[in-house]
Short mmCIF file of all heavy atoms in Angstrom, two decimals:
data_model
loop_
_atom_site.label_atom_id
_atom_site.label_comp_id
_atom_site.label_asym_id
_atom_site.label_seq_id
_atom_site.Cartn_x
_atom_site.Cartn_y
_atom_site.Cartn_z
N MET A 7 101.27 110.37 112.76
CA MET A 7 102.39 109.83 112.03
C MET A 7 102.68 110.72 110.82
O MET A 7 101.76 111.07 110.11
CB MET A 7 102.02 108.42 111.58
CG MET A 7 103.15 107.49 111.61
SD MET A 7 102.58 105.79 111.61
CE MET A 7 101.48 105.76 113.00
N GLU A 8 103.92 110.99 110.59
CA GLU A 8 104.25 111.92 109.53
C GLU A 8 104.68 111.26 108.22
O GLU A 8 104.37 111.77 107.16
CB GLU A 8 105.36 112.87 110.00
CG GLU A 8 104.90 113.82 111.07
CD GLU A 8 105.95 114.84 111.42
OE1 GLU A 8 106.83 115.10 110.58
OE2 GLU A 8 105.88 115.37 112.53
N THR A 9 105.37 110.16 108.28
CA THR A 9 105.89 109.56 107.06
C THR A 9 105.42 108.12 106.89
O THR A 9 105.06 107.45 107.87
CB THR A 9 107.44 109.56 107.04
OG1 THR A 9 107.90 108.66 108.07
CG2 THR A 9 108.01 110.96 107.27
N VAL A 10 105.46 107.66 105.66
CA VAL A 10 105.12 106.27 105.39
C VAL A 10 106.14 105.36 106.07
O VAL A 10 105.79 104.30 106.59
CB VAL A 10 105.03 106.01 103.86
CG1 VAL A 10 104.86 104.53 103.56
CG2 VAL A 10 103.88 106.80 103.27
N HIS A 11 107.39 105.78 106.11
CA HIS A 11 108.43 105.00 106.80
C HIS A 11 108.05 104.79 108.27
O HIS A 11 108.13 103.68 108.79
CB HIS A 11 109.79 105.69 106.70
CG HIS A 11 110.81 105.11 107.62
ND1 HIS A 11 111.40 103.88 107.41
CD2 HIS A 11 111.30 105.57 108.80
CE1 HIS A 11 112.24 103.63 108.41
NE2 HIS A 11 112.18 104.63 109.26
N GLU A 12 107.62 105.85 108.94
CA GLU A 12 107.21 105.74 110.34
C GLU A 12 106.02 104.80 110.49
O GLU A 12 105.95 104.00 111.42
CB GLU A 12 106.86 107.11 110.91
CG GLU A 12 108.06 108.02 111.08
CD GLU A 12 107.69 109.43 111.46
OE1 GLU A 12 106.55 109.86 111.17
OE2 GLU A 12 108.54 110.11 112.04
N TRP A 13 105.08 104.90 109.55
CA TRP A 13 103.91 104.03 109.58
C TRP A 13 104.32 102.58 109.42
O TRP A 13 103.89 101.71 110.19
CB TRP A 13 102.92 104.46 108.49
CG TRP A 13 101.79 103.51 108.32
CD1 TRP A 13 100.74 103.33 109.17
CD2 TRP A 13 101.58 102.61 107.23
NE1 TRP A 13 99.88 102.36 108.68
CE2 TRP A 13 100.39 101.90 107.47
CE3 TRP A 13 102.29 102.34 106.06
CZ2 TRP A 13 99.90 100.95 106.61
CZ3 TRP A 13 101.80 101.38 105.20
CH2 TRP A 13 100.62 100.69 105.47
N LEU A 14 105.16 102.30 108.42
CA LEU A 14 105.63 100.93 108.22
C LEU A 14 106.37 100.42 109.45
O LEU A 14 106.17 99.28 109.88
CB LEU A 14 106.54 100.84 106.99
CG LEU A 14 105.83 100.87 105.64
CD1 LEU A 14 106.85 101.10 104.52
CD2 LEU A 14 105.04 99.59 105.40
N SER A 15 107.20 101.26 110.05
CA SER A 15 107.92 100.88 111.26
C SER A 15 106.96 100.57 112.39
O SER A 15 107.16 99.62 113.15
CB SER A 15 108.90 101.98 111.67
OG SER A 15 109.91 102.10 110.70
N SER A 16 105.89 101.35 112.50
CA SER A 16 104.93 101.16 113.59
C SER A 16 104.18 99.84 113.48
O SER A 16 103.67 99.33 114.48
CB SER A 16 103.94 102.33 113.65
OG SER A 16 102.95 102.23 112.64
N ILE A 17 104.10 99.28 112.27
CA ILE A 17 103.44 97.98 112.11
C ILE A 17 104.46 96.85 111.98
O ILE A 17 104.11 95.73 111.60
CB ILE A 17 102.44 97.99 110.92
CG1 ILE A 17 103.13 98.26 109.58
CG2 ILE A 17 101.31 98.97 111.18
CD1 ILE A 17 102.23 98.05 108.36
N GLY A 18 105.72 97.16 112.28
CA GLY A 18 106.76 96.13 112.29
C GLY A 18 107.31 95.77 110.93
O GLY A 18 107.94 94.73 110.77
N LEU A 19 107.06 96.63 109.92
CA LEU A 19 107.50 96.32 108.56
C LEU A 19 108.36 97.44 107.97
O LEU A 19 108.38 97.66 106.77
CB LEU A 19 106.28 96.05 107.67
CG LEU A 19 105.43 94.84 108.11
CD1 LEU A 19 104.14 94.79 107.32
CD2 LEU A 19 106.21 93.55 107.97
N GLY A 20 109.10 98.09 108.84
CA GLY A 20 109.96 99.19 108.40
C GLY A 20 111.02 98.79 107.39
O GLY A 20 111.49 99.62 106.62
N HIS A 21 111.34 97.51 107.36
CA HIS A 21 112.35 97.05 106.40
C HIS A 21 111.88 97.17 104.94
O HIS A 21 112.67 97.06 104.02
CB HIS A 21 112.80 95.62 106.71
CG HIS A 21 111.70 94.62 106.80
ND1 HIS A 21 110.86 94.54 107.90
CD2 HIS A 21 111.29 93.66 105.94
CE1 HIS A 21 109.99 93.56 107.70
NE2 HIS A 21 110.23 93.01 106.52
N TYR A 22 110.58 97.45 104.75
CA TYR A 22 110.07 97.66 103.39
C TYR A 22 110.07 99.15 102.99
O TYR A 22 109.68 99.48 101.87
CB TYR A 22 108.65 97.11 103.25
CG TYR A 22 108.58 95.61 103.31
CD1 TYR A 22 107.82 94.97 104.27
CD2 TYR A 22 109.27 94.82 102.39
CE1 TYR A 22 107.74 93.59 104.33
CE2 TYR A 22 109.21 93.44 102.44
CZ TYR A 22 108.45 92.82 103.41
OH TYR A 22 108.38 91.46 103.45
N SER A 23 110.52 100.00 103.86
CA SER A 23 110.50 101.45 103.57
C SER A 23 111.24 101.79 102.28
O SER A 23 110.79 102.62 101.50
CB SER A 23 111.12 102.22 104.73
OG SER A 23 110.31 102.12 105.87
N ARG A 24 112.38 101.14 102.08
CA ARG A 24 113.17 101.43 100.87
C ARG A 24 112.36 101.10 99.61
O ARG A 24 112.35 101.86 98.64
CB ARG A 24 114.49 100.64 100.89
CG ARG A 24 115.37 100.88 99.68
CD ARG A 24 116.61 99.99 99.69
NE ARG A 24 116.31 98.56 99.79
CZ ARG A 24 115.91 97.78 98.79
NH1 ARG A 24 115.75 98.29 97.58
NH2 ARG A 24 115.67 96.49 98.98
N LEU A 25 111.67 99.97 99.63
CA LEU A 25 110.86 99.58 98.47
C LEU A 25 109.74 100.60 98.22
O LEU A 25 109.48 100.98 97.09
CB LEU A 25 110.25 98.20 98.66
CG LEU A 25 111.21 97.02 98.64
CD1 LEU A 25 110.48 95.73 98.98
CD2 LEU A 25 111.90 96.91 97.29
N PHE A 26 109.09 101.03 99.28
CA PHE A 26 108.02 102.02 99.14
C PHE A 26 108.58 103.31 98.57
O PHE A 26 107.97 103.92 97.69
CB PHE A 26 107.34 102.27 100.49
CG PHE A 26 106.23 101.30 100.80
CD1 PHE A 26 106.44 99.93 100.81
CD2 PHE A 26 104.96 101.76 101.09
CE1 PHE A 26 105.42 99.04 101.10
CE2 PHE A 26 103.91 100.88 101.38
CZ PHE A 26 104.15 99.52 101.37
N GLU A 27 109.75 103.72 99.03
CA GLU A 27 110.37 104.94 98.53
C GLU A 27 110.78 104.79 97.06
O GLU A 27 110.50 105.66 96.24
CB GLU A 27 111.59 105.31 99.38
CG GLU A 27 112.21 106.62 98.99
CD GLU A 27 113.37 106.99 99.89
OE1 GLU A 27 113.34 106.65 101.09
OE2 GLU A 27 114.31 107.63 99.39
N GLU A 28 111.42 103.68 96.72
CA GLU A 28 111.87 103.44 95.35
C GLU A 28 110.71 103.45 94.35
O GLU A 28 110.88 103.84 93.20
CB GLU A 28 112.60 102.10 95.24
CG GLU A 28 113.97 102.10 95.82
CD GLU A 28 114.61 100.72 95.78
OE1 GLU A 28 114.05 99.79 95.15
OE2 GLU A 28 115.67 100.55 96.40
N HIS A 29 109.55 103.00 94.80
CA HIS A 29 108.39 102.90 93.91
C HIS A 29 107.39 104.03 94.12
O HIS A 29 106.26 103.95 93.63
CB HIS A 29 107.73 101.53 94.08
CG HIS A 29 108.60 100.42 93.61
ND1 HIS A 29 108.68 100.05 92.29
CD2 HIS A 29 109.47 99.62 94.28
CE1 HIS A 29 109.55 99.06 92.17
NE2 HIS A 29 110.04 98.78 93.35
N ALA A 30 107.84 105.08 94.82
CA ALA A 30 107.04 106.30 95.02
C ALA A 30 105.67 106.00 95.62
O ALA A 30 104.66 106.57 95.22
CB ALA A 30 106.90 107.09 93.72
N ILE A 31 105.65 105.10 96.60
CA ILE A 31 104.40 104.79 97.30
C ILE A 31 104.32 105.68 98.52
O ILE A 31 105.07 105.53 99.48
CB ILE A 31 104.32 103.31 97.69
CG1 ILE A 31 104.35 102.43 96.44
CG2 ILE A 31 103.05 103.04 98.51
CD1 ILE A 31 104.46 100.96 96.71
N GLY A 32 103.40 106.62 98.46
CA GLY A 32 103.18 107.55 99.56
C GLY A 32 101.76 107.48 100.06
O GLY A 32 100.96 106.64 99.62
N TRP A 33 101.42 108.40 100.97
CA TRP A 33 100.08 108.44 101.54
C TRP A 33 99.00 108.49 100.47
O TRP A 33 97.93 107.92 100.63
CB TRP A 33 99.92 109.64 102.47
CG TRP A 33 100.77 109.59 103.69
CD1 TRP A 33 101.78 110.46 104.02
CD2 TRP A 33 100.70 108.66 104.78
NE1 TRP A 33 102.33 110.11 105.22
CE2 TRP A 33 101.69 109.01 105.72
CE3 TRP A 33 99.89 107.56 105.04
CZ2 TRP A 33 101.89 108.30 106.90
CZ3 TRP A 33 100.10 106.85 106.22
CH2 TRP A 33 101.08 107.23 107.13
N ASP A 34 99.31 109.17 99.37
CA ASP A 34 98.30 109.39 98.34
C ASP A 34 97.89 108.12 97.59
O ASP A 34 96.83 108.09 96.98
CB ASP A 34 98.77 110.45 97.34
CG ASP A 34 100.09 110.08 96.67
OD1 ASP A 34 100.91 109.37 97.28
OD2 ASP A 34 100.30 110.53 95.53
N VAL A 35 98.69 107.08 97.64
CA VAL A 35 98.35 105.85 96.91
C VAL A 35 98.19 104.62 97.81
O VAL A 35 97.85 103.55 97.31
CB VAL A 35 99.37 105.55 95.78
CG1 VAL A 35 99.34 106.64 94.73
CG2 VAL A 35 100.76 105.34 96.32
N LEU A 36 98.40 104.77 99.10
CA LEU A 36 98.29 103.61 99.99
C LEU A 36 96.95 102.90 99.85
O LEU A 36 96.90 101.67 99.82
CB LEU A 36 98.48 104.02 101.45
CG LEU A 36 99.90 104.21 101.94
CD1 LEU A 36 99.89 104.62 103.40
CD2 LEU A 36 100.75 102.98 101.73
N ALA A 37 95.87 103.64 99.75
CA ALA A 37 94.54 103.04 99.68
C ALA A 37 94.32 102.22 98.41
O ALA A 37 93.41 101.40 98.35
CB ALA A 37 93.47 104.12 99.79
N ARG A 38 95.18 102.42 97.42
CA ARG A 38 95.02 101.70 96.15
C ARG A 38 95.90 100.46 96.06
O ARG A 38 95.88 99.75 95.06
CB ARG A 38 95.31 102.65 95.00
CG ARG A 38 94.29 103.81 94.99
CD ARG A 38 94.62 104.86 93.98
NE ARG A 38 94.72 104.32 92.64
CZ ARG A 38 95.29 104.99 91.64
NH1 ARG A 38 95.78 106.18 91.83
NH2 ARG A 38 95.34 104.44 90.45
N LEU A 39 96.65 100.16 97.11
CA LEU A 39 97.51 98.98 97.10
C LEU A 39 96.67 97.72 97.10
O LEU A 39 95.59 97.67 97.67
CB LEU A 39 98.42 98.97 98.33
CG LEU A 39 99.48 100.05 98.43
CD1 LEU A 39 100.25 99.90 99.74
CD2 LEU A 39 100.42 100.01 97.25
N ASP A 40 97.20 96.70 96.43
CA ASP A 40 96.62 95.37 96.47
C ASP A 40 97.76 94.36 96.40
O ASP A 40 98.93 94.75 96.31
CB ASP A 40 95.58 95.17 95.36
CG ASP A 40 96.16 95.29 93.95
OD1 ASP A 40 97.39 95.12 93.76
OD2 ASP A 40 95.38 95.56 93.02
N HIS A 41 97.43 93.08 96.46
CA HIS A 41 98.48 92.06 96.44
C HIS A 41 99.37 92.18 95.20
O HIS A 41 100.58 92.03 95.29
CB HIS A 41 97.87 90.65 96.51
CG HIS A 41 97.46 90.26 97.88
ND1 HIS A 41 98.33 89.75 98.81
CD2 HIS A 41 96.26 90.33 98.50
CE1 HIS A 41 97.69 89.50 99.92
NE2 HIS A 41 96.42 89.85 99.78
N GLY A 42 98.76 92.44 94.06
CA GLY A 42 99.53 92.54 92.82
C GLY A 42 100.55 93.66 92.86
O GLY A 42 101.71 93.47 92.47
N VAL A 43 100.14 94.81 93.32
CA VAL A 43 101.06 95.95 93.40
C VAL A 43 102.18 95.64 94.38
O VAL A 43 103.37 95.89 94.10
CB VAL A 43 100.32 97.25 93.82
CG1 VAL A 43 101.30 98.37 94.12
CG2 VAL A 43 99.33 97.67 92.75
N LEU A 44 101.83 95.09 95.52
CA LEU A 44 102.85 94.77 96.52
C LEU A 44 103.84 93.73 95.99
O LEU A 44 105.05 93.83 96.25
CB LEU A 44 102.20 94.32 97.82
CG LEU A 44 101.44 95.43 98.56
CD1 LEU A 44 100.65 94.85 99.73
CD2 LEU A 44 102.36 96.55 99.01
N LYS A 45 103.36 92.75 95.22
CA LYS A 45 104.27 91.79 94.58
C LYS A 45 105.17 92.51 93.58
O LYS A 45 106.37 92.23 93.51
CB LYS A 45 103.49 90.70 93.84
CG LYS A 45 102.94 89.63 94.71
CD LYS A 45 102.25 88.58 93.84
CE LYS A 45 101.57 87.53 94.64
NZ LYS A 45 100.88 86.55 93.79
N ASP A 46 104.59 93.42 92.79
CA ASP A 46 105.36 94.15 91.77
C ASP A 46 106.51 94.95 92.38
O ASP A 46 107.55 95.10 91.75
CB ASP A 46 104.46 95.10 90.97
CG ASP A 46 103.54 94.38 90.01
OD1 ASP A 46 103.75 93.17 89.76
OD2 ASP A 46 102.61 95.04 89.51
N VAL A 47 106.31 95.47 93.59
CA VAL A 47 107.37 96.27 94.20
C VAL A 47 108.38 95.41 94.95
O VAL A 47 109.38 95.92 95.44
CB VAL A 47 106.83 97.40 95.11
CG1 VAL A 47 105.92 98.32 94.34
CG2 VAL A 47 106.16 96.87 96.34
N GLY A 48 108.10 94.11 95.05
CA GLY A 48 109.09 93.20 95.63
C GLY A 48 108.76 92.62 96.99
O GLY A 48 109.63 92.05 97.64
N ILE A 49 107.51 92.73 97.41
CA ILE A 49 107.12 92.13 98.69
C ILE A 49 106.54 90.76 98.38
O ILE A 49 105.37 90.63 98.00
CB ILE A 49 106.13 93.04 99.45
CG1 ILE A 49 106.79 94.39 99.70
CG2 ILE A 49 105.71 92.38 100.76
CD1 ILE A 49 105.89 95.44 100.30
N SER A 50 107.38 89.75 98.51
CA SER A 50 106.99 88.40 98.09
C SER A 50 106.25 87.63 99.18
O SER A 50 105.47 86.73 98.87
CB SER A 50 108.20 87.61 97.63
OG SER A 50 109.16 87.53 98.67
N ALA A 51 106.46 87.98 100.43
CA ALA A 51 105.82 87.25 101.53
C ALA A 51 104.34 87.59 101.62
O ALA A 51 103.97 88.75 101.87
CB ALA A 51 106.51 87.57 102.85
N ALA A 52 103.50 86.60 101.41
CA ALA A 52 102.05 86.82 101.43
C ALA A 52 101.58 87.36 102.78
O ALA A 52 100.71 88.23 102.85
CB ALA A 52 101.32 85.52 101.11
N GLY A 53 102.16 86.87 103.85
CA GLY A 53 101.78 87.35 105.18
C GLY A 53 102.05 88.83 105.36
O GLY A 53 101.24 89.56 105.93
N ASP A 54 103.20 89.29 104.87
CA ASP A 54 103.52 90.71 104.97
C ASP A 54 102.60 91.55 104.09
O ASP A 54 102.20 92.65 104.47
CB ASP A 54 104.98 90.97 104.61
CG ASP A 54 105.93 90.53 105.72
OD1 ASP A 54 105.46 90.21 106.84
OD2 ASP A 54 107.16 90.50 105.47
N ARG A 55 102.25 91.03 102.92
CA ARG A 55 101.29 91.75 102.09
C ARG A 55 99.96 91.90 102.81
O ARG A 55 99.36 92.97 102.82
CB ARG A 55 101.10 91.05 100.74
CG ARG A 55 102.33 91.14 99.84
CD ARG A 55 102.04 90.74 98.40
NE ARG A 55 101.34 89.48 98.24
CZ ARG A 55 101.93 88.29 98.10
NH1 ARG A 55 103.26 88.21 98.10
NH2 ARG A 55 101.22 87.20 97.94
N LEU A 56 99.51 90.83 103.45
CA LEU A 56 98.27 90.89 104.21
C LEU A 56 98.37 91.89 105.37
O LEU A 56 97.43 92.65 105.62
CB LEU A 56 97.90 89.51 104.74
CG LEU A 56 97.40 88.52 103.70
CD1 LEU A 56 97.34 87.12 104.29
CD2 LEU A 56 96.04 88.94 103.18
N ARG A 57 99.50 91.89 106.06
CA ARG A 57 99.69 92.83 107.17
C ARG A 57 99.61 94.27 106.69
O ARG A 57 99.00 95.13 107.33
CB ARG A 57 101.02 92.56 107.86
CG ARG A 57 101.02 91.31 108.70
CD ARG A 57 102.39 91.03 109.34
NE ARG A 57 102.36 89.71 109.94
CZ ARG A 57 102.69 88.59 109.31
NH1 ARG A 57 103.12 88.60 108.06
NH2 ARG A 57 102.61 87.42 109.93
N ILE A 58 100.25 94.55 105.56
CA ILE A 58 100.22 95.91 105.01
C ILE A 58 98.80 96.28 104.61
O ILE A 58 98.31 97.36 104.97
CB ILE A 58 101.19 96.03 103.81
CG1 ILE A 58 102.63 95.96 104.30
CG2 ILE A 58 100.93 97.34 103.05
CD1 ILE A 58 103.66 95.77 103.19
N LEU A 59 98.11 95.40 103.92
CA LEU A 59 96.75 95.70 103.48
C LEU A 59 95.79 95.86 104.66
O LEU A 59 94.94 96.75 104.65
CB LEU A 59 96.26 94.62 102.51
CG LEU A 59 97.02 94.56 101.18
CD1 LEU A 59 96.58 93.36 100.36
CD2 LEU A 59 96.88 95.85 100.39
N ASP A 60 95.96 95.04 105.69
CA ASP A 60 95.14 95.19 106.89
C ASP A 60 95.40 96.54 107.57
O ASP A 60 94.47 97.21 108.01
CB ASP A 60 95.41 94.06 107.89
CG ASP A 60 94.81 92.73 107.47
OD1 ASP A 60 93.97 92.70 106.53
OD2 ASP A 60 95.19 91.71 108.08
N ALA A 61 96.66 96.93 107.63
CA ALA A 61 97.01 98.20 108.26
C ALA A 61 96.49 99.38 107.46
O ALA A 61 96.07 100.39 108.03
CB ALA A 61 98.53 98.30 108.43
N VAL A 62 96.47 99.27 106.14
CA VAL A 62 95.90 100.33 105.30
C VAL A 62 94.41 100.47 105.59
O VAL A 62 93.90 101.59 105.73
CB VAL A 62 96.15 100.06 103.79
CG1 VAL A 62 95.31 100.98 102.93
CG2 VAL A 62 97.62 100.20 103.45
N GLN A 63 93.71 99.36 105.73
CA GLN A 63 92.28 99.42 106.04
C GLN A 63 92.04 100.10 107.38
O GLN A 63 91.08 100.86 107.53
CB GLN A 63 91.67 98.01 106.06
CG GLN A 63 91.52 97.41 104.70
CD GLN A 63 90.93 96.01 104.76
OE1 GLN A 63 90.80 95.41 105.83
NE2 GLN A 63 90.58 95.49 103.60
N THR A 64 92.91 99.86 108.33
CA THR A 64 92.80 100.50 109.63
C THR A 64 92.99 102.01 109.51
O THR A 64 92.28 102.79 110.15
CB THR A 64 93.85 99.92 110.61
OG1 THR A 64 93.61 98.52 110.74
CG2 THR A 64 93.75 100.58 111.96
N LEU A 65 93.92 102.42 108.65
CA LEU A 65 94.14 103.86 108.42
C LEU A 65 92.89 104.50 107.84
O LEU A 65 92.54 105.62 108.19
CB LEU A 65 95.29 104.09 107.45
CG LEU A 65 96.70 103.93 107.95
CD1 LEU A 65 97.68 104.10 106.79
CD2 LEU A 65 97.01 104.92 109.06
N GLU A 66 92.23 103.78 106.96
CA GLU A 66 91.06 104.32 106.25
C GLU A 66 89.80 104.27 107.10
O GLU A 66 88.83 104.96 106.81
CB GLU A 66 90.80 103.52 104.98
CG GLU A 66 91.88 103.67 103.97
CD GLU A 66 91.61 102.80 102.76
OE1 GLU A 66 90.92 101.77 102.87
OE2 GLU A 66 92.09 103.17 101.70
N SER A 67 89.82 103.45 108.14
CA SER A 67 88.61 103.25 108.92
C SER A 67 88.18 104.53 109.64
O SER A 67 88.99 105.16 110.30
CB SER A 67 88.87 102.15 109.96
OG SER A 67 87.79 102.08 110.87
N PRO A 68 86.92 104.91 109.51
CA PRO A 68 86.46 106.11 110.21
C PRO A 68 86.44 105.92 111.73
O PRO A 68 86.39 106.89 112.47
CB PRO A 68 85.03 106.31 109.67
CG PRO A 68 84.63 105.01 109.09
CD PRO A 68 85.89 104.29 108.71
N ASP A 69 86.52 104.66 112.19
CA ASP A 69 86.50 104.39 113.62
C ASP A 69 87.88 104.49 114.26
O ASP A 69 88.00 104.42 115.46
CB ASP A 69 85.96 102.98 113.89
CG ASP A 69 84.53 102.82 113.40
OD1 ASP A 69 83.80 103.82 113.40
OD2 ASP A 69 84.17 101.69 113.03
N SER A 70 88.93 104.63 113.45
CA SER A 70 90.29 104.64 114.00
C SER A 70 90.72 106.03 114.37
O SER A 70 90.14 107.02 114.06
CB SER A 70 91.28 104.01 113.04
OG SER A 70 91.34 104.73 111.83
#
């Protein structure tokens, strides 16, 4: 995967790409995301925050 937009799209959350871009969230900071940061950028749905955080953990997993 080349872009964060593609990654978000692959997990069914591509509609948040604009927010990630507006807040300069790229590969270099994905691992530092938490519920608070995601709320700050405008992702109010708790389920979507959990989906994003779960997907980040999968990216970081040495088994993936």
Side-chain angles (χ1 to χ4, degrees):
M7 216 161 306
E8 292 186 23
T9 67
V10 173
H11 168 74
E12 291 172 336
W13 172 72
L14 284 167
S15 294
S16 77
I17 62 171
L19 298 171
H21 55 284
Y22 291 121
S23 293
R24 180 185 55 79
L25 291 175
F26 274 56
E27 185 177 327
E28 286 176 9
H29 294 277
I31 299 172
W33 295 116
D34 58 331
V35 296
L36 279 180
R38 297 173 57 196
L39 293 178
D40 62 22
H41 281 277
V43 171
L44 292 172
K45 281 183 185 179
D46 287 347
V47 302
I49 301 174
S50 59
D54 286 349
R55 291 194 310 269
L56 287 168
R57 287 177 189 90
I58 290 167
L59 295 173
D60 286 347
V62 168
Q63 287 180 350
T64 300
L65 283 176
E66 294 177 334
S67 171
D69 298 330
S70 62

